[in-house]
Amino acid sequence: MRIVFRRLNLPGSLVLAFENSVYFTQGSSPLHSDEDSEEIIYVRRGTGYVQIGDAQVPVRPGAAVAVPRSLKHRVVNTGKDVLERLLICADITKP
């Protein structure tokens, strides 16, 4: 995972982070939930799914998935190539 921007780089912004991650074949992110933020996951390369709760949302290049706060989620690579994703995480605790 490469963090492109963090909140400290964007004073006054609600963006907490902008990340670029690569998952190898059969790789995945840990299943987790975020209480204070929402995420947008954009897939640049590869195929797989984003698990949100019990749902599996298929993804391929160009797909974007919104992840609401408090829902357990993860990215899973099911393809034969790497899966590259961009993530934007926004703070929802501020008006």
Side-chain angles (χ1 to χ4, degrees):
M1 175 177 69
R2 181 172 72 96
I3 297 173
V4 180
F5 294 107
R6 286 188 184 192
R7 173 173 259 167
L8 60 98
N9 304 114
L10 304 165
S13 175
L14 297 180
V15 173
L16 295 173
F18 177 64
E19 301 171 358
N20 181 4
S21 296
V22 174
Y23 301 97
F24 294 104
T25 302
Q26 304 305 311
S28 66
S29 62
L31 184 63
H32 68 286
S33 63
D34 303 292
E35 298 303 317
D36 61 348
S37 64
E38 292 183 336
E39 298 177 356
I40 301 292
I41 297 170
Y42 177 81
V43 176
R44 292 187 61 196
R45 178 178 173 187
T47 58
Y49 63 87
V50 176
Q51 178 181 345
I52 303 174
D54 293 331
Q56 292 183 357
V57 180
V59 293
R60 60 189 173 106
V65 179
V67 180
R69 73 185 262 180
S70 303
L71 289 180
K72 289 189 183 257
H73 60 281
R74 69 181 177 150
V75 175
V76 178
N77 180 356
T78 60
K80 294 180 180 177
D81 195 2
V82 298
L83 186 149
E84 179 183 4
R85 65 102 166 130
L86 301 175
L87 176 133
I88 299 173
C89 181
D91 185 347
I92 58 169
T93 63
K94 297 187 177 180

